[in-house]
Amino acid sequence: MRQLTAAHRSLPLGTKVQVTNLRTGQHVVVRINDRGPYEGGKRRIIDLSEAAAKRVGVLDRGIEWVQVVVVENAS
């Protein structure tokens, strides 16, 4: 919750991705450490930790359009 982490359905655990809020341009690099999201069907592609969501300005909004780019593959 306090770490810069996220859940993704298919990226290998340990992968680092940059998540950019397309509305504000704020971005954060997070490590994929879990599977999901499973709610919301295939429209939701990533689930950010509380700390990561706060960094990109989506904590209060809950859901936002984002861009996800792999910056470091899992080792």
Side-chain angles (χ1 to χ4, degrees):
M1 187 166 91
R2 295 174 206 238
Q3 302 295 316
L4 298 178
T5 59
H8 191 276
R9 284 188 195 96
S10 60
L11 287 173
L13 299 180
T15 300
K16 290 187 180 177
V17 297
Q18 178 173 294
V19 179
T20 303
N21 180 332
L22 295 177
R23 184 177 53 83
T24 67
Q26 294 172 286
H27 57 87
V28 65
V29 174
V30 298
R31 182 177 50 84
I32 303 300
N33 73 333
D34 200 1
R35 294 287 169 226
Y38 297 107
E39 293 182 23
K42 300 217 183 243
R43 293 188 62 172
R44 291 184 59 197
I45 59 170
I46 197 164
D47 191 7
L48 300 175
S49 68
E50 184 176 324
K54 188 174 185 179
R55 288 255 181 118
V56 294
V58 301
L59 186 60
D60 293 332
R61 293 177 65 90
I63 296 176
E64 186 66 85
W65 290 101
V66 297
Q67 177 185 45
V68 178
V69 177
V70 173
V71 295
E72 185 179 316
N73 290 317
S75 51

